[in-house]
Amino acid sequence: QVQLVESGGGLVQAGGSLRLSCAASGGTFSNYAMGWFRQAPGKERGFVSAIRWNGDNTYYTGSVKGRFTISRDNPKNTVYLQMNSLKPEDTAVYYCAARRDYVGIKALHYDAEYDYWGQGTQVTVSS
């Protein structure tokens, strides 16, 4: 059983940066692959980024490659999303998610693969 709490969202101008954090409790953090998803008004929830249990493998949706960086600090039970060069189309509620990792894990871009979700944090990018 895992609980996730996101923080770090806010209002930023286009071209600016934000760093989101997701603090985990209630489980062995290093056993889990972690993901970030986002949902904009009127749109479905979509994949942003994911990271394997030890951080050796990371994944990004094409629209954020080169701008966003996912990382994790297992001793702190925390995953981060560094967001640079933000655009108005990045405006959304950002959600942290977790699922048990295993050898050969696939489809971390698919939200149905995740078992635990945080409450979300709002990111608003003004033009």
Side-chain angles (χ1 to χ4, degrees), residues 25-77:
S25 62
T28 302
F29 184 65
S30 61
N31 288 344
Y32 290 84
M34 303 295 296
W36 287 98
F37 292 77
R38 64 187 180 185
Q39 188 167 26
K43 295 188 176 182
E44 295 183 351
R45 184 169 59 194
F47 172 73
V48 178
S49 186
I51 188 167
R52 294 288 304 278
W53 69 278
N54 64 354
D56 286 348
N57 301 98
T58 58
Y59 310 90
Y60 300 91
T61 193
S63 62
V64 309
K65 287 182 179 178
R67 300 190 297 121
F68 292 9
T69 303
I70 191 170
S71 62
R72 67 191 297 160
D73 188 337
N74 285 350
K76 293 183 178 180
N77 293 346

